[in-house]
Amino acid sequence: MSSLAGGGDPGSGDGDPPRAAERPTDSRKTEGRANEKKCSWASYMTNTSTMIVMIGLPARGKTYMSKKLTRYLNWIGVPTKVFNLGEYRREAVQSYKSYDFFRHDNAEAMKIRKQCALIALQDVKVYLNEEGGQIAVFDATNTTQERRDLILGFAQENSYKVFFVESICDDPDVIAENIMDVKVSSPDYPERNRESVMEDFLKRIECYKVTYQPLDPDQHDKDRSFIQVINVGQRFLVNRVQDYIQSKIVYYLMNIHVHSHSIYLCRHGESDHNIQGLIGGDAGLSARGKEFARALRGFVENQKIVGLKVWTSQLKRTIQTAEALGVPYEQWKILNEIDAGVCEEMSYEMIRDKYPEEYAMRDQDKYHYRYPGGESYQDLVQRLEPVIMELERQGNVLVVCHQAVMRCLLAYFLDKSADDLPYLKCPLHVVLKLTPVAYGCKVDMFDLKVEAVNTHRNRPLACGRHDVPPALLRRNSFTPMSSQDQVKRPRLFSVGNPPRTPLPPALDSTQESDEFTEKPENLNCFAPADSDDSIQK
């Protein structure tokens, strides 16, 4: 591969662990695509691996966008990874001294930066060709046409599509805020003196400006695919979107707004079905559920949340919880609990006894398993995507929802995997406050001290493939793991509704959705999936 020229080193964000400059790639090979991560519906829309190439001067939010975009794409089921050149550079140069390292006439530093870029590109190749990745985010300044042309050549050699994301910002207040929020805590500045950091980083930016060549949509870059994000989302310029995934990237980037806000998540108050150990349905609140609704009103009033919006599902238990708040609220049908199909209003013991194969299959792969006539967690993520987009755009919002729905929303904000998502702990009568910070999300938990049953079911210790008949082992986006026949029927909402459609004799199976029973023991709703615990009886 030819060497890189021009000033294209990277901002300082977090990224994947840096590597030494020279090492064989053989040791990094994985089991390959035979063992690649299970993908969602969106991943089947990508017939070619894609490189997202960031462009922009330092302190323009490139790493912020890279991380958020990667989190979103992984959440919808497209395996994505960030390759941040700042991490590679910090591995090669153990101690950063000053902005002089980024001068375009610093020959020794330029050589190091070129080598770091080459190593990162080789890691991109390994990830996309051998590790089952589908999108690689190349997070660096990439400020010259020469650097971008070389990346395009690398992508063409390996048959990758390329989509450029350029962040352009000339607002000095935004730049200064970004430096103070993010760069002060960068490993480049261990002493973290605010004044000296600001001075050095502004000089670093000036070094890049000498060689910076923005994308040229009228001439040089008119045939390339890209989006220019101008002044953190005030305006956008989109050029030649090639495919479905690129359109999803544009859609997401046009919806994320950088503003201070918090998202409050809680489940409805305890319902009558919770007490009975029945899943799904449309039961009303129990006496303790109504007590929680009153406690929630006190919590909201004490928090003095400016401009709070309240969202609920269209199911009775969330509406009754919101009604007690005494404020306007919006009902969203897509916030309804996961549809348990023929297993609505059954207990897990009933499901295990009546449909043992379905029960076993759901334990084997809870995320991809779809209830007969109902939904899977994978389906639920797809359904909730518009909610995520609105939460990114809105100010302060309280979402009163359900266990499976709350798990999906939490997995997005906390960057949890599809394997862990169905086992996130979301106890009743607890409020989570999510506040976006530089490259992640701060979580505050409030237990409103109203007793409730525990609806959480731990991850089974070991459920091997031998537990399920071979004919039932089917899993992908279009035929998720489920029994051979899918009974289509109207969703049941309460015990008083007409009898559910019976399963055919050949179908003997299913398992859980939202509610179960027992007392909350651990309020750590975002702890990794309790793999050492046995299933509750």
Side-chain angles (χ1 to χ4, degrees), residues 349-411:
E349 290 80 3
M350 292 167 62
I351 297 168
R352 183 187 58 209
D353 294 342
K354 190 170 184 179
Y355 311 126
E357 290 175 353
E358 297 290 328
Y359 187 91
M361 280 193 296
R362 194 161 197 263
D363 273 353
Q364 185 188 32
D365 188 349
K366 190 174 178 182
Y367 181 80
H368 292 92
Y369 172 82
R370 178 182 289 159
Y371 285 108
E375 293 178 299
S376 65
Y377 271 94
Q378 177 178 315
D379 297 329
L380 188 55
V381 164
Q382 182 178 354
R383 164 153 64 92
L384 289 170
E385 188 177 357
V387 175
I388 291 297
M389 293 300 174
E390 279 303 307
L391 288 174
E392 289 286 2
R393 297 173 59 88
Q394 297 288 337
N396 298 316
V397 180
L398 167 63
V399 184
V400 183
C401 54
H402 306 268
Q403 180 166 261
V405 170
M406 189 168 169
R407 282 169 172 164
C408 292
L409 297 179
L410 269 180

Side-chain angles (χ1 to χ4, degrees), residues 260-499:
S260 177
H261 71 295
S262 293
I263 297 160
Y264 298 81
L265 299 178
C266 72
R267 291 171 62 188
H268 53 80
E270 179 188 75
S271 72
D272 292 330
H273 274 16
N274 291 148
I275 295 174
Q276 299 168 37
L278 305 179
I279 64 175
D282 194 21
L285 297 182
S286 68
R288 292 186 301 197
K290 293 173 183 176
E291 183 183 351
F292 167 74
R294 293 189 292 270
L296 183 60
R297 176 171 184 161
F299 170 81
V300 170
E301 291 172 351
N302 291 336
Q303 290 283 304
K304 295 180 170 57
I305 307 165
V306 178
L308 179 67
K309 293 184 177 180
V310 178
W311 297 350
T312 74
S313 72
Q314 291 187 351
L315 297 179
K316 189 187 301 181
R317 52 196 184 273
T318 63
I319 294 171
Q320 289 179 344
T321 304
E323 281 285 346
L325 300 179
V327 298
Y329 60 91
E330 300 175 35
Q331 296 180 27
W332 290 57
K333 185 175 182 179
I334 55 177
L335 284 172
N336 284 2
E337 178 57 309
I338 190 170
D339 187 348
V342 298
C343 297
E344 286 272 316
E345 300 183 302
M346 295 177 69
S347 69
Y348 294 125
E349 290 80 3
M350 292 167 62
I351 297 168
R352 183 187 58 209
D353 294 342
K354 190 170 184 179
Y355 311 126
E357 290 175 353
E358 297 290 328
Y359 187 91
M361 280 193 296
R362 194 161 197 263
D363 273 353
Q364 185 188 32
D365 188 349
K366 190 174 178 182
Y367 181 80
H368 292 92
Y369 172 82
R370 178 182 289 159
Y371 285 108
E375 293 178 299
S376 65
Y377 271 94
Q378 177 178 315
D379 297 329
L380 188 55
V381 164
Q382 182 178 354
R383 164 153 64 92
L384 289 170
E385 188 177 357
V387 175
I388 291 297
M389 293 300 174
E390 279 303 307
L391 288 174
E392 289 286 2
R393 297 173 59 88
Q394 297 288 337
N396 298 316
V397 180
L398 167 63
V399 184
V400 183
C401 54
H402 306 268
Q403 180 166 261
V405 170
M406 189 168 169
R407 282 169 172 164
C408 292
L409 297 179
L410 269 180
Y412 167 77
F413 287 106
L414 303 183
D415 198 15
K416 296 297 181 181
S417 70
D419 286 339
D420 287 344
L421 182 156
Y423 298 99
L424 295 177
K425 291 184 177 178
C426 299
L428 290 163
H429 303 174
V430 170
V431 179
L432 295 184
K433 178 183 179 181
L434 309 179
T435 305
V437 293
Y439 296 146
C441 196
K442 177 187 175 186
V443 182
D444 295 302
M445 184 180 297
F446 301 89
D447 181 358
L448 300 196
K449 305 299 183 184
V450 177
E451 189 176 356
V453 295
N454 177 16
T455 64
H456 184 77
R457 294 183 72 244
N458 292 325
R459 188 197 299 266
L461 274 175
C463 183
R465 285 178 169 268
H466 61 275
D467 297 329
V468 181
L472 301 179
L473 290 172
R474 297 184 290 110
R475 157 172 57 221
N476 62 37
S477 174
F478 305 108
T479 40
M481 183 183 213
S482 60
S483 39
Q484 296 175 356
D485 300 302
Q486 290 283 306
V487 179
K488 299 300 179 184
R489 55 160 201 46
R491 182 168 182 175
L492 302 176
F493 288 121
S494 66
V495 175
N497 281 347

